Amino acid sequence: MDFSQKMLRDNALNDKVIIVTGGGSGLGKAMTTYFLELGAKVAITSRDIEKLQNTATELEQQTGGTCLPIACDVRHYDQVESMLQQVLSAFGKVDVLLNNAAGNFISPTERLSANAFDTIIDIVLKGSKNCTLALGKHWIDRGEKNKTVLNIVTTYAWTGSGYVVPSATAKAGVLAMTRSLAVEWAKYGIRMNAIAPGPFPTKGAWDRLLPGELKDQFDITKQVPLRRVGDHQELANLAAYLVSDFSQYINGEVVTIDGGEWLQGAGEFNMLENIPKELWDMLEQMIKAKGSK
């Protein structure tokens, strides 16, 4: 079966109401599309209402579902509360929060201003906290069960990474929040999970990370043991499963979907991947020669 095919059965998300932050483009749009196809009602948020409206119209025509665009800057708690009230007014409830809104750029850390560092922290960590706290308080106050928060993190949330230090710092905080609340809020019927995607190229995000000719100079597939990047449907399949009732015993987990990229970069001797076959043959003979003495 083609890995780009859809995974879950039709109507697997029937009657679910899902909020997707950063849902107007890229991976947020891809996940929203699949949620709608599976029967969910989805509210998409970002700061750009025009982009959201265009996306919502496109996806409703494509899927026949209901997509509600709401302008919201997740860095501001009052805007998050207002967004939540708009979703409740439209749909009457919320079942799932997908914290997908993010920001990132590559830079030597010493070149960053304090404001540039704060911008990423505020969107990724503070924004995820704001949305999680607002939804969590709402669900707990009303005694609503079977609710889910799904956070999009990254593999360098636990390894760290140079040149994306604000993002690594923020994502590590989101991952810690995910695991902590998975324990604390389970008694309220709230599950917390995360996805750590590897390379899933999107025009907007990748243009900012690797501007100009950098994309051509760095072949990201060489960093992935499977030698390819991810297909957006693969991520959408995983996200749909984790927010569905099929995954009710999964709580506090971070699922990596990166083709083995972080493992290739983590091993002490993984650079030996670059040794040609002829040199391996010579090294093998040298080792055998030493062993026979």
Side-chain angles (χ1 to χ4, degrees), residues 22-290:
S25 60
L27 297 178
K29 181 179 178 181
M31 290 184 283
T32 296
T33 303
Y34 194 35
F35 296 162
L36 291 168
E37 290 173 341
L38 293 173
K41 295 181 177 67
V42 184
I44 55 174
T45 79
S46 75
R47 289 173 290 172
D48 189 340
I49 187 60
E50 184 176 353
K51 178 189 286 186
L52 290 173
Q53 290 169 337
N54 291 337
T55 296
T57 299
E58 175 192 343
L59 296 187
E60 286 188 339
Q61 292 174 349
Q62 177 182 331
T63 67
T66 302
C67 186
L68 176 66
I70 303 175
C72 176
D73 187 338
V74 295
R75 296 175 296 181
H76 302 292
Y77 192 77
D78 59 338
Q79 291 193 33
V80 171
E81 287 189 309
S82 174
M83 176 268 291
L84 172 57
Q85 291 307 313
Q86 291 178 67
V87 177
L88 293 173
S89 295
F91 300 134
K93 64 168 185 170
V94 181
D95 299 294
V96 176
L97 167 65
L98 172 51
N99 281 314
N100 171 70
N104 198 7
F105 44 74
I106 56 171
S107 174
T109 307
E110 68 273 15
R111 290 174 175 260
L112 294 174
S113 67
N115 184 63
F117 206 115
D118 286 348
T119 297
I120 304 304
I121 296 290
D122 286 350
I123 295 171
V124 177
L125 180 54
K126 187 177 178 181
S128 297
K129 176 272 295 181
N130 284 342
C131 293
T132 301
L133 195 59
L135 267 296
K137 285 175 175 289
H138 170 76
W139 289 329
I140 292 168
D141 288 347
R142 287 156 183 76
E144 297 183 10
K145 305 287 188 180
N146 191 25
K147 306 300 180 180
T148 300
V149 177
L150 180 62
N151 295 318
I152 304 299
V153 294
T154 179
T155 53
Y156 57 69
W158 56 86
T159 64
S161 177
Y163 305 99
V164 286
V165 172
S167 174
T169 303
K171 293 290 191 181
V174 174
L175 181 56
M177 180 176 68
T178 304
R179 288 171 166 160
S180 301
L181 289 179
V183 175
E184 185 178 339
W185 282 0
K187 62 180 176 286
Y188 299 121
I190 301 172
R191 292 188 300 121
M192 304 283 304
N193 289 299
I195 296 175
F200 284 83
T202 61
K203 179 169 175 44
W206 283 64
D207 284 349
R208 289 190 296 273
L209 281 173
L210 297 173
E213 298 179 356
L214 282 178
K215 291 192 295 294
D216 300 323
Q217 296 179 30
F218 292 93
D219 183 359
I220 195 68
T221 63
K222 292 180 180 178
Q223 310 301 319
V224 181
L226 292 181
R227 294 298 182 264
R228 68 173 178 88
V229 295
D231 184 272
H232 287 198
Q233 186 61 47
E234 292 179 283
L235 181 64
N237 283 339
L238 177 58
Y241 169 67
L242 288 174
V243 303
S244 76
D245 291 340
F246 295 112
S247 64
Q248 285 200 12
Y249 203 51
I250 299 178
N251 184 39
E253 189 55 72
V254 52
V255 182
T256 302
I257 178 168
D258 74 342
E261 180 197 29
W262 90 270
L263 292 171
Q264 176 169 305
E268 183 177 358
F269 291 98
N270 284 339
M271 79 290 288
L272 299 181
E273 173 75 16
N274 297 320
I275 293 181
K277 179 179 182 300
E278 295 76 16
L279 184 52
W280 277 121
D281 293 339
M282 185 171 67
L283 289 172
E284 183 178 340
Q285 293 302 317
M286 291 171 61
I287 292 169
K288 287 181 177 178
K290 287 185 178 180

